Amino acid sequence: MSGLLALLDDVAGIAKIAAASVDDIASNAAKAGSKAIGVVVDDAAVTPKYVHGFSAARELPIIWKIARGSIFNKLVVLLPLALLLASFASWAIPPLLILGGSYLCFEGAEKILHAVMPHDDHSGGPDGSHDIKDPAHLEEEKVKGAIKTDFILSAEIMTLALSTIESPELWIQAVVLALVGLGITVLVYGAVALIVKADDVGLWLTEVGKLSATRATGRFIVKAMPWVMKLLTVVGTAAMLWVGGSILVHSVAQMGWHMPEDSIHHIAQAASDAVPENLAAATLWLTTATIDFVLGLIWGLILVPVAVKILIPLFGLFTKKTPA
């Protein structure tokens, strides 16, 4: 009997450890996922353009191909790299976050400049890719381009997630990263599928609806989708700059320069103290996010000419094909 009681006690102890591990995984996954929200919004805002111009029947298969590539990026390539970083080069995480935050700031600032300044729309591209007549080949090229873009955004998501995991256990880090990667992929590409097919659903309601209210709802969806896409672009750009600025401020603090983060906290705290108590938390967050957004925009505007004048031409030299 004593042996059975000892066994039950051991089983109870294992169950407690397992329950604590599950709770640890859940809390770390929630924290990691929320930290990557700006990149998620950007991913959802960017992806629909890759199915633009294709027939309705090909939209969902294309999204599924991109989603599979995204899962491969996160779980097969980036997850092992992230675990290697955590195990052997944790010092490299803040610099990588700064690099990723700078990319977000650059892309956000470039989108704003593209919107407010006159520019030429070279829709065909220098390589004539938009002039490809074979739909299958064009689809393949679009999917490859989307997966390349997803790789950059996924790398940022996984690095952000890794930086928020508090558990030193390697297996917990692996499970959290896998959960975040899969969850965000489902969230992003599920949302993209809904966005892309919403106008088709609206059109279907206008054609088959027997009630005037049903047909009116369909017409409303069709008319609203262009505005939804514009709003999503604006929100995505703002989120990129806000998250990019936040990443920069937090990462330089991790590397030893605490002045920017402390200054922002003091300003936000002063703002929250000046409003009624029921608005204090919202004011604290809004002030911090606004300052991060402004810093991200300033840094992005600095990076745009550097990238356009130096980095992109330099990259072109390395990737330029030599004549046979």
Side-chain angles (χ1 to χ4, degrees), residues 27-36 93 97 157-167 176-177 180 250 254:
S27 62
N28 277 285
K31 185 184 298 182
S34 63
K35 188 71 175 179
I93 294 176
L97 284 172
I157 288 169
M158 299 297 274
T159 308
L160 274 171
L162 181 64
S163 71
T164 63
I165 300 175
E166 298 174 354
S167 174
V176 169
L177 288 175
V180 170
H250 183 65
Q254 286 184 313

Side-chain angles (χ1 to χ4, degrees), residues 68-259:
R68 282 187 306 180
S70 177
I71 292 174
F72 183 87
N73 285 340
K74 292 182 178 74
L75 300 189
V76 179
V77 180
L78 294 170
L79 192 151
L81 289 176
L83 294 178
L84 286 173
L85 275 177
S87 300
F88 302 107
S90 58
W91 55 267
I93 294 176
L96 287 174
L97 284 172
I98 290 175
L99 185 63
S102 296
Y103 170 78
L104 290 177
C105 294
F106 161 76
E107 189 174 353
E110 195 273 337
K111 285 183 177 180
I112 290 177
L113 289 175
H114 188 77
V116 301
M117 296 179 64
H119 57 276
D120 295 326
D121 186 13
H122 300 293
S123 57
D127 59 352
S129 59
H130 291 196
D131 295 328
I132 298 173
K133 301 301 182 182
D134 181 9
H137 185 58
L138 177 58
E139 178 178 319
E140 181 183 352
E141 292 299 314
K142 286 278 190 176
V143 169
K144 286 181 180 178
I147 293 175
K148 288 179 182 178
T149 300
D150 175 89
F151 184 86
I152 297 172
L153 297 173
S154 293
E156 186 67 14
I157 288 169
M158 299 297 274
T159 308
L160 274 171
L162 181 64
S163 71
T164 63
I165 300 175
E166 298 174 354
S167 174
E169 298 289 340
L170 190 65
W171 75 271
I172 289 182
Q173 293 176 4
V175 173
V176 169
L177 288 175
L179 287 175
V180 170
L182 287 173
I184 285 179
T185 301
V186 172
L187 175 65
V188 167
Y189 291 100
V192 168
L194 290 175
I195 292 169
V196 168
K197 302 305 291 184
D199 54 351
D200 292 335
V201 172
L203 184 61
W204 178 76
L205 289 175
T206 62
E207 293 175 347
V208 304
K210 296 181 179 179
L211 300 176
S212 59
T214 303
R215 295 191 296 272
T217 301
R219 288 192 295 270
F220 173 79
I221 293 174
V222 172
K223 292 179 180 179
M225 284 315 298
W227 294 100
V228 170
M229 293 301 298
K230 290 180 181 179
L231 177 62
L232 188 60
T233 300
V234 171
V235 172
T237 301
M240 277 190 290
L241 293 169
W242 153 50
V243 174
S246 176
I247 291 171
L248 294 175
V249 170
H250 183 65
S251 297
V252 297
Q254 286 184 313
M255 296 178 70
W257 189 29
H258 297 276
M259 188 273 288

